[in-house]
Amino acid sequence: MADLSAITETLISGKAAALKDMVQQAIDQGTSASAILNTALIPGMDVVGERMENGDMFIPEVLMSARAMSRALEILKPLLSAEESKSGGKIVIGTVKGDLHDIGKNLVAMMLESAGFDIINVGVDIAPETFVQAVQKHKPQVLGLSALLTTTMPQIQKTIEALQENGLKDQVKIMIGGAPVTEKFASQIGADGYAPDAGSASKLAKSLIQ
Ligand code: B1M
């Protein structure tokens, strides 16, 4: 059995190369990708968040952990594929304006892709009008909006308003998420669904498309 707590510690220390090796080793030893993700990596990022909040870790160190996490996710990506059949749906996903957090959004995109959706990941710091253009261009069934800061949550609402102003609100289902986002907020602003994590995002997208 792989030492998952050592993986967590290496992620917190931001040692990307060592983390990649350890994740690969854990997989080779038979540990499932979801166990590595849910038992070692996500709890590790939570510790990083707590230390950041307490002033025990600073932005450059947090960035090193974030980079290490992204490298680990690259290894896990092909292994996290869901068993369900392809849905054939198209999803545009991005992080809202003013927000640079992309690990969770990329994880959601990855889960959706492995569940059979066609994903257009438009990136971070995306303005409402850019989301509108992406919806006009790609005509997705679902638009996914991610926000990790309480200060950027209003941009989700602004994006929904921009879709409304451009006559697109009824042509696309809007799914939202991110640490500060809640079900209540989603219904208040007229989003079609909220998902607390990547696994539920995949289930939600399927239910929205049906
Ligand atoms: Co930032 N940051 N950060 N940060 N950062 C948080 C979010 C924070 C909670 C840390 C803290 O203080 N405890 C705090 C926000 C407080 C608040 O607003 N309530 C915070 C802050 C304050 C900031 C800055 C303002 C700090 C500063 O500069 N003073 C700054 C803002 C920059 C900006 O965006 N404009 C900042 C910067 C950064 C870094 C750049 C250093 C880095 C981001 C690097 C990157 O993403 N490439 C960073 C990081 C890494 C974090 C923490 C530590 C980790 C986030 C993460 O990746 N989690 C974070 C603390 C924390 O969350 N524990 C923190 C792991 C990821 C798998 O989870 O992103 O929650 P998460 O995604 C989940 C779900 O939320 C959900 O599914 C995902 C997978 O299960 N989900 C969706 C996400 N999007 C979804 C979309 C969906 C559905 C579900 O549908 C479309």
Side-chain angles (χ1 to χ4, degrees), residues 37-38 41-54 57-67 69-70 73 91-109 111-112 124-125 142-153 174-181 193-202 204:
L37 180 65
N38 296 317
L41 297 176
I42 289 183
M45 288 313 285
D46 286 341
V47 173
V48 171
E50 282 157 26
R51 293 190 184 171
M52 185 179 173
E53 200 166 13
N54 299 334
M57 255 176 110
F58 298 100
I59 300 294
E61 296 162 290
V62 177
L63 267 177
M64 283 173 72
S65 297
R67 283 203 193 105
M69 174 83 172
S70 299
L73 289 179
I91 301 179
V92 166
I93 187 167
T95 304
V96 297
K97 187 176 174 184
D99 201 321
L100 302 174
H101 295 86
D102 68 354
I103 295 174
K105 182 261 299 168
N106 288 343
L107 190 52
V108 170
M111 291 296 278
L112 291 170
V124 296
D125 191 16
V142 176
L143 172 65
L145 303 172
S146 178
L148 261 288
L149 299 169
T150 41
T151 50
T152 57
M153 276 171 68
I174 298 152
M175 170 169 102
I176 70 173
V181 178
Y194 154 77
D197 54 50
S200 355
S202 176
L204 174 64

Side-chain angles (χ1 to χ4, degrees), residues 26-186:
I27 289 164
D28 295 343
Q29 287 171 6
T31 312
S32 73
S34 57
I36 297 169
L37 180 65
N38 296 317
T39 316
L41 297 176
I42 289 183
M45 288 313 285
D46 286 341
V47 173
V48 171
E50 282 157 26
R51 293 190 184 171
M52 185 179 173
E53 200 166 13
N54 299 334
D56 295 330
M57 255 176 110
F58 298 100
I59 300 294
E61 296 162 290
V62 177
L63 267 177
M64 283 173 72
S65 297
R67 283 203 193 105
M69 174 83 172
S70 299
R71 296 294 97 77
L73 289 179
E74 281 165 17
I75 299 178
L76 298 183
K77 183 176 175 177
L79 302 167
L80 286 168
S81 62
E83 292 96 39
E84 290 105 310
S85 61
K86 293 207 171 245
S87 72
K90 197 190 279 183
I91 301 179
V92 166
I93 187 167
T95 304
V96 297
K97 187 176 174 184
D99 201 321
L100 302 174
H101 295 86
D102 68 354
I103 295 174
K105 182 261 299 168
N106 288 343
L107 190 52
V108 170
M110 206 181 273
M111 291 296 278
L112 291 170
E113 193 179 0
S114 52
F117 294 100
D118 185 6
I119 301 299
I120 296 120
N121 188 339
V122 290
V124 296
D125 191 16
I126 303 300
E129 52 276 21
T130 311
F131 277 119
V132 166
Q133 285 161 8
V135 169
Q136 283 166 337
K137 182 175 172 198
H138 300 289
K139 301 189 176 29
Q141 281 89 353
V142 176
L143 172 65
L145 303 172
S146 178
L148 261 288
L149 299 169
T150 41
T151 50
T152 57
M153 276 171 68
Q155 288 298 327
I156 299 182
Q157 185 170 5
K158 292 215 165 93
T159 304
I160 294 177
E161 285 163 6
L163 290 165
Q164 220 144 18
E165 283 156 20
N166 286 276
L168 295 167
K169 171 74 173 71
D170 295 333
Q171 292 176 34
V172 64
K173 298 284 185 193
I174 298 152
M175 170 169 102
I176 70 173
V181 178
T182 61
E183 184 92 60
K184 189 173 167 210
F185 177 72

